[in-house]
Amino acid sequence: QSALTQPPSVSGSPGQSVTISCTGTSSDVGTYNHVSWYQQPPGTAPKLMIYGVNNRPSGVPDRFSGSKSGNTASLTISGLQAEDEADYYCNSYTGSDTWVFGGGTKLTVL
Amino acid sequence: QVQLVESGGGVVQPGGSLRLSCATSGFTFINSAMHWVRQAPGKGLEWLAFIQSDGSSQSYADSVKGRFTISRDDSKNMLYLQMNSLRAEDTAVYYCAKDYNFNWCVEYWGQGTLATVSS
């Protein structure tokens, strides 16, 4: 149950696009299309942004999108806004009713 | 709307025990699987435990297996986490979370309760 690998930090200017990667193994991201992404502003609980690799829950802006290739999943945020500044975590199902999170990525909007 | 309210956190000595509770409302609890997730101070999220909607099976992260027990009381719409043999590295905010049925992820989160293991 090793954590998925995410870059510690990414940054972008308002209006730009940023992509956060999430690398796992053939036992998790590579096998299951059950990758989700969470947004966590400082001092608050996480919020589901993407599930099932590329599905957005109701109310999440379409500026947020997800994808997966092999053992790596990605979250892309287009048209960056100041309110997007937060920590982002990926998560993957790993079989037998177990899950694993990524180490988290701090997004800074310049 | 979905509400998850954790309680039971506090300060406990190494080797001690704590029982966390999560009061739920705004959804049909008996139809929902549930999770516990924690976050150590300044660190990332760590998935801990899962219980099926009917309570028939539970699963755990290796880091807490044999020490923590997840359970539920459907008559009270409550979720619990019994934590035994606590260590300093168990110090964290503990989140109760609702599973996103048939989507294999966490859908909603509580605000968390802080458990501190210290002598």
Side-chain angles (χ1 to χ4, degrees):
Chain A
Q1 293 179 340
S2 298
L4 307 175
T5 300
Q6 297 181 233
S9 64
V10 298
S11 63
S13 299
Q16 289 186 331
S17 294
V18 295
T19 296
I20 300 172
S21 62
C22 169
T23 301
T25 70
S26 58
S27 298
D28 39 62
V29 175
T31 292
Y32 300 99
N33 287 324
H34 302 316
V35 177
S36 52
W37 290 89
Y38 299 87
Q39 177 192 65
Q40 186 180 35
T44 70
K47 174 187 175 184
L48 178 64
M49 304 301 284
I50 295 287
Y51 67 94
V53 175
N54 57 9
N55 299 287
R56 281 177 288 106
S58 174
V60 172
D62 59 6
R63 303 184 294 103
F64 291 83
S65 62
S67 62
K68 190 186 89 166
S69 177
N71 295 339
T72 299
S74 298
L75 172 71
T76 297
I77 309 171
S78 58
L80 264 181
Q81 299 181 4
E83 67 203 50
D84 299 332
E85 188 161 290
D87 293 328
Y88 289 83
Y89 294 90
C90 62
N91 176 271
S92 177
Y93 182 66
T94 60
S96 300
D97 287 344
T98 63
W99 285 259
V100 64
F101 281 96
T105 298
K106 181 178 179 61
L107 168 63
T108 300
V109 180
L110 302 171
Chain B
Q1 72 280 21
V2 171
Q3 287 200 315
L4 306 167
V5 180
E6 303 92 338
S7 61
V11 180
V12 61
Q13 291 188 339
S17 299
L18 273 179
R19 188 195 194 205
L20 305 184
S21 300
C22 174
T24 75
S25 61
F27 64 101
T28 306
F29 185 69
I30 59 173
N31 291 341
S32 293
M34 300 293 293
H35 304 256
W36 285 99
V37 178
R38 71 183 177 186
Q39 186 169 34
K43 303 297 184 181
L45 301 172
E46 180 185 14
W47 176 83
L48 294 181
F50 171 82
I51 187 167
Q52 288 281 7
S53 57
D54 61 2
S56 60
S57 72
Q58 304 83 38
S59 53
Y60 300 92
D62 290 343
S63 59
V64 302
K65 196 175 298 182
R67 300 189 300 125
F68 290 11
T69 302
I70 187 172
S71 63
R72 60 192 296 154
D73 184 338
D74 290 347
S75 69
K76 297 180 180 178
N77 291 345
M78 294 288 293
L79 180 72
Y80 303 101
L81 185 67
Q82 178 67 42
M83 305 190 296
N84 298 331
S85 303
L86 285 164
R87 309 163 180 166
E89 54 265 35
D90 294 318
T91 294
V93 172
Y94 285 76
Y95 292 103
C96 163
K98 177 189 175 297
D99 186 69
Y100 197 169
N101 290 351
F102 310 116
N103 286 291
W104 289 271
C105 68
V106 167
E107 182 180 18
Y108 292 107
W109 303 68
Q111 288 304 304
T113 186
L114 176 62
T116 302
V117 184
S118 173
S119 54

